[in-house]
Amino acid sequence: MAITIKDVAKLAKVAPSTVSRVIANSPRISEDTKTRVRDAMDELKYHPNFIARSLASQSTKVIGLVLPHSSGVFFQNPFFSEVIQGLSEGVHDNHYALQMTSGKTEFDSYEGVVQMVQGGRVDGIILLYSMIDDKIMEYLTKRKFPFVVIGKPYDLVDKITHVDNDNYMAAKEATDYIIGLGHHKIGFIGGSPSLTVTLDRLNGYKEALRASDIDINEDYIIHGDFLREGGQEAVKALLRRTIPPTALLVTDDLMAVGVVNTLTEMQIEIPTEVSIVSFNNALFAEMSRPPLTSIDINIKELGYQAASNLIQLLKNENDPVKRIIIPHTLVIRQSCDVAPDVE
Amino acid sequence: MAITIKDVAKLAKVAPSTVSRVIANSPRISEDTKTRVRDAMDELKYHPNFIARSLASQSTKVIGLVLPHSSGVFFQNPFFSEVIQGLSEGVHDNHYALQMTSGKTEFDSYEGVVQMVQGGRVDGIILLYSMIDDKIMEYLTKRKFPFVVIGKPYDLVDKITHVDNDNYMAAKEATDYIIGLGHHKIGFIGGSPSLTVTLDRLNGYKEALRASDIDINEDYIIHGDFLREGGQEAVKALLRRTIPPTALLVTDDLMAVGVVNTLTEMQIEIPTEVSIVSFNNALFAEMSRPPLTSIDINIKELGYQAASNLIQLLKNENDPVKRIIIPHTLVIRQSCDVAPDVE
DNA sequence: TTGTAAGCGTTATCAT
DNA sequence: ATGATAACGCTTACAA
């Protein structure tokens, strides 16, 4: 059996409660006994038992992570590694631990969350996605369990602390950039329309067109998976239009890579025949031939802020609801050119 | 306060211990009371408190994950996402949870592990790397704490359960393949020489040369980070040799991408002037221009097996030490050609 | 087959 | 400033 607080107490000739106070560095303990107790702890190589502490204090110092249920897709996207990196740093800096839940189906995920929450495994939760009509978000809200979402909640935006980019503006800027190059037949290839990030970017795209008096052509708007395959299928569909677009706004680099692959196979030249702007600025964007102009959304920071804000919320019972916007930047590379039909 | 076992007991008119037994599905409880208790649980929407259970049973059903300390590098490599995916499925299938520890420095990581172990936070640990003279591995071994490593332990190979590829054979096969194309000036670009995976692959490479009576030229062997930058620097160094190699064995796709970038910039043609075989077969290998011939090591399975074997080890006190080898396959693409100096 | 009661290792509330 | 002692919610001998 491991060394417990009692062993330390015995060695230091104090009560267990005193040892506990020393651990918490209570000001009501004399410096004298503090050092005596600390010496005993060192001598015995004492390490507090987190489980016992959690039970007594009703707090685990663990943050739960909820991945989207179709995590197979999610794992393949570099977005995953990058948020995790930010999250990991964020919790670590605050002396919390990170625990993951996946789940093949939505029900599966839901059960995982309930276990974490009702099982008292975690003090707070971070949702790594935001979609419409999400049962998990509904559950957490109803239970008033502390959580923050990465992305924009579909409902109750002003009731739920979240960390997001201004995806509307980002898409608008990207589209404006394309329009500035003379394009007016601009396609939109987005992820699942049940994700709020897709909706925001779609709206930004539409607004940019509207502001420039370009008709919105619903045939130019396609949704797919945040995967290469998603991009491949989408661009094929767009090329079947009677008048195919001369530029594409693609909401994810991995999809954009699929788009590039397909266009290259069809011997359609980028950027002379088709221009592309994508999102996320993963390594893929840089590696692509040609390198992709992409919007950097600072994924790591998204994770870091989510973690630190959740923890702050945990410490401060009545922390106000917050909306943290992480800045984005358009990184111009070589996937855009002036419109071929402009003279 | 949440619903506890006592509330259920009261409603079902049984003792708390009976409820506990029903949860554990003990055979010594009559079907009759079982259903009565279960009805009560449903009615109250009871969920067992994991923390309390952990404290009482001295087992948390949580697996700890230890990333390499320079996790910044690690996170960027697609290896990370893929193992995590496998691990995640593995623990999930066995009703365990996954908890992560990172740490900027080695000391940092070490402290994290000690906290997990002595703090009773986890039942077992998975090391996501294997390097020589690793304090953490030494600590876990000394403490006889259950753990498995992904990769091959440097010491005590037959005392530590691990999941690995046969990296020696994989490298040998890859090198043989290159030799078969007529190359005999073959460079080796590897990751850190303190990682056992690097050593194994290096040995396989050397053995292949030896078997074909090709001199081993230490000038052809370079080590770098498992990153694009690592590959870039390494290949530049190799090209400065008086007689530069005509083929390269690169132990990681991401490094290989760096190699390809650099060669392309220098207008050296792949595969006509330089052939390349890389490892891991990440999406990068396929995306590269030209697409890379790469050894698929089945990363996801590495993770899945690590998780399930650790859990089995936890269940079966005296499970034998195991060495699980995940098969690899050489995926031939377009980065290799016959040696330019062969007629 | 079921109940009683003693832990598990802390924290926290009273006393002193 | 410190010590007893009762939680925290569960598991598990030991009884019955």
Side-chain angles (χ1 to χ4, degrees):
Chain A
M1 201 90 317
I3 308 297
T4 80
I5 214 172
K6 287 182 189 169
D7 302 314
V8 177
K10 213 166 285 175
L11 181 62
K13 296 189 201 301
V14 293
S17 47
T18 303
V19 178
S20 176
R21 290 191 183 101
V22 173
I23 294 172
N25 199 15
S26 158
R28 332 184 305 177
I29 298 288
S30 72
E31 280 308 316
D32 217 47
T33 54
K34 270 188 187 172
T35 48
R36 209 168 72 250
V37 169
R38 286 193 181 120
D39 286 351
M41 298 198 313
D42 286 351
E43 191 176 332
L44 297 173
K45 291 203 203 320
Y46 167 78
H47 277 266
N49 182 313
F50 261 94
I51 303 298
R53 174 184 292 202
S54 299
L55 185 59
S57 65
Q58 301 287 63
S59 137
T60 60
K61 300 278 176 198
V62 177
I63 299 295
L65 212 60
V66 183
L67 313 190
H69 0 288
S70 52
S71 23
V73 170
F74 192 60
F75 277 120
Q76 289 177 60
N77 200 299
F79 183 92
F80 172 73
S81 307
E82 261 194 80
V83 238
I84 297 280
Q85 190 178 2
L87 287 165
S88 169
E89 278 184 26
V91 297
H92 193 255
D93 285 359
N94 292 281
H95 309 288
Y96 270 70
L98 207 55
Q99 195 161 312
M100 286 183 31
T101 292
S102 47
K104 232 5 196 171
T105 66
E106 174 165 10
F107 179 74
D108 228 21
S109 285
Y110 185 84
E111 283 297 294
V113 171
V114 172
Q115 282 229 346
M116 279 188 158
V117 173
Q118 319 235 19
R121 280 172 177 281
V122 300
D123 291 350
I125 277 193
I126 292 177
L127 292 186
L128 278 193
Y129 65 93
S130 173
M131 52 180 277
I132 66 184
D133 294 331
D134 186 43
K135 302 282 174 227
I136 294 177
M137 224 169 78
E138 195 184 315
Y139 166 78
L140 294 172
T141 313
K142 218 172 246 163
R143 257 195 107 76
K144 301 197 175 163
F145 194 81
F147 75 105
V148 339
V149 357
I150 292 187
K152 189 170 94 187
Y154 186 67
D155 289 321
L156 310 169
V157 210
D158 46 346
K159 303 274 178 223
I160 297 173
T161 289
H162 58 283
V163 181
D164 196 12
N165 302 103
D166 187 342
N167 282 305
Y168 172 85
M169 271 308 289
K172 186 166 178 309
E173 283 167 33
T175 312
D176 281 340
Y177 171 73
I178 302 176
I179 294 173
L181 292 173
H183 294 270
H184 53 274
K185 291 172 313 208
I186 304 171
F188 177 92
I189 299 182
S192 161
S194 55
L195 293 172
T196 58
V197 56
T198 304
L199 300 177
D200 282 349
R201 290 178 184 171
L202 180 56
N203 285 335
Y205 155 85
K206 285 183 174 173
E207 176 54 28
L209 297 186
R210 222 174 277 126
S212 293
D213 286 320
I214 300 175
D215 283 343
I216 293 169
N217 182 346
E218 292 290 342
D219 277 356
Y220 280 177
I221 298 171
I222 308 250
H223 297 280
D225 269 345
F226 277 143
L227 282 182
R228 239 175 3 143
E229 294 70 20
Q232 287 164 346
E233 284 159 28
V235 72
K236 278 179 194 156
L238 282 179
L239 291 174
R240 280 194 293 269
R241 305 295 179 239
T242 23
I243 308 178
T246 61
L248 300 171
L249 186 65
V250 186
T251 63
D252 180 89
D253 288 324
L254 201 44
M255 295 185 89
V257 164
V259 169
V260 170
N261 284 170
T262 304
L263 291 177
T264 306
E265 270 166 29
M266 301 176 83
Q267 313 208 346
I268 295 174
E269 275 208 19
I270 307 167
T272 45
E273 293 179 77
V274 173
S275 290
I276 297 175
V277 175
S278 76
F279 273 84
N280 294 10
N281 195 31
L283 189 47
F284 287 119
E286 195 182 333
M287 274 191 55
S288 161
R289 289 305 100 154
L292 297 174
T293 290
S294 183
I295 300 223
D296 192 315
I297 59 169
N298 219 334
I299 300 174
K300 195 174 151 188
E301 188 64 15
L302 233 33
Y304 190 89
Q305 290 300 330
S308 23
N309 279 283
L310 174 56
I311 292 169
Q312 194 176 327
L313 189 155
L314 292 176
K315 287 184 176 149
N316 188 354
E317 189 63 20
N318 35 26
D319 208 51
V321 172
K322 281 189 213 145
R323 169 173 165 76
I324 294 107
I325 297 298
I326 307 297
H328 59 265
T329 28
L330 180 66
V331 178
I332 295 179
R333 295 206 182 81
Q334 291 141 51
S335 60
C336 292
D337 202 348
V338 292
D341 50 5
V342 170
E343 261 346 271
Chain B
M1 202 92 317
I3 308 296
T4 79
I5 214 171
K6 288 184 189 167
D7 301 316
V8 177
K10 212 166 285 174
L11 182 62
K13 297 192 202 301
V14 294
S17 51
T18 303
V19 178
S20 174
R21 290 189 184 103
V22 173
I23 294 171
N25 199 14
S26 158
R28 332 184 303 179
I29 298 288
S30 74
E31 282 307 318
D32 219 46
T33 55
K34 270 189 189 172
T35 47
R36 209 167 71 249
V37 169
R38 286 191 182 123
D39 285 352
M41 299 200 309
D42 285 351
E43 193 177 331
L44 297 174
K45 291 201 202 323
Y46 168 77
H47 277 266
N49 182 314
F50 261 94
I51 303 298
R53 173 184 292 200
S54 299
L55 185 59
S57 64
Q58 301 285 63
S59 135
T60 60
K61 300 280 177 195
V62 177
I63 299 296
L65 213 61
V66 183
L67 313 190
H69 359 289
S70 52
S71 23
V73 170
F74 193 60
F75 277 120
Q76 288 176 59
N77 200 299
F79 183 91
F80 172 73
S81 308
E82 262 193 80
V83 238
I84 297 280
Q85 189 177 3
L87 287 165
S88 168
E89 278 183 28
V91 297
H92 193 254
D93 285 358
N94 291 281
H95 309 287
Y96 271 70
L98 207 56
Q99 195 162 312
M100 287 185 29
T101 292
S102 46
K104 227 15 196 165
T105 68
E106 174 164 10
F107 179 75
D108 227 23
S109 284
Y110 185 83
E111 284 297 293
V113 171
V114 172
Q115 282 229 346
M116 280 188 157
V117 172
Q118 320 233 18
R121 279 171 177 283
V122 300
D123 291 350
I125 277 194
I126 293 177
L127 291 186
L128 241 35
Y129 65 92
S130 173
M131 51 179 280
I132 65 183
D133 294 332
D134 186 43
K135 303 282 174 226
I136 293 178
M137 223 169 80
E138 195 185 314
Y139 166 79
L140 295 171
T141 313
K142 220 171 245 164
R143 256 196 110 74
K144 301 198 175 162
F145 194 81
F147 74 104
V148 338
V149 358
I150 292 186
K152 189 170 94 184
Y154 185 68
D155 290 320
L156 309 168
V157 209
D158 44 347
K159 301 274 179 224
I160 297 172
T161 289
H162 58 283
V163 182
D164 196 12
N165 303 104
D166 188 341
N167 282 304
Y168 173 86
M169 271 308 288
K172 185 166 179 307
E173 283 167 33
T175 312
D176 280 341
Y177 170 72
I178 301 176
I179 294 172
L181 292 172
H183 295 271
H184 52 274
K185 292 172 313 212
I186 304 172
F188 176 92
I189 299 183
S192 161
S194 56
L195 293 171
T196 58
V197 56
T198 303
L199 299 177
D200 282 349
R201 290 178 185 170
L202 180 57
N203 286 334
Y205 154 85
K206 285 183 174 173
E207 176 54 29
L209 296 186
R210 221 174 277 126
S212 292
D213 286 320
I214 300 175
D215 283 342
I216 293 169
N217 182 345
E218 292 290 341
D219 277 356
Y220 280 178
I221 298 171
I222 308 249
H223 297 280
D225 269 345
F226 278 143
L227 282 183
R228 239 175 2 142
E229 294 72 19
Q232 288 165 345
E233 285 159 27
V235 73
K236 278 179 194 156
L238 283 179
L239 291 175
R240 280 194 291 268
R241 306 294 179 240
T242 24
I243 307 178
T246 62
L248 300 172
L249 186 66
V250 186
T251 63
D252 180 87
D253 289 324
L254 201 43
M255 295 186 89
V257 164
V259 170
V260 170
N261 283 171
T262 304
L263 292 177
T264 307
E265 268 166 30
M266 301 178 83
Q267 310 207 350
I268 296 173
E269 274 210 17
I270 309 167
T272 45
E273 294 178 77
V274 173
S275 289
I276 297 174
V277 175
S278 75
F279 274 83
N280 293 11
N281 196 31
L283 188 47
F284 287 118
E286 196 183 334
M287 274 192 53
S288 160
R289 290 304 101 150
L292 297 174
T293 290
S294 183
I295 299 221
D296 192 315
I297 60 168
N298 220 334
I299 300 175
K300 195 174 148 187
E301 188 65 14
L302 233 35
Y304 190 89
Q305 291 299 331
S308 25
N309 279 282
L310 174 56
I311 293 170
Q312 194 176 328
L313 189 156
L314 292 176
K315 287 184 176 147
N316 189 355
E317 189 63 19
N318 35 27
D319 208 51
V321 172
K322 280 188 213 144
R323 169 172 164 76
I324 294 107
I325 297 298
I326 306 298
H328 58 264
T329 28
L330 179 67
V331 178
I332 296 180
R333 295 206 182 80
Q334 291 141 51
S335 60
C336 292
D337 202 348
V338 292
D341 48 6
V342 169
E343 277 330 283

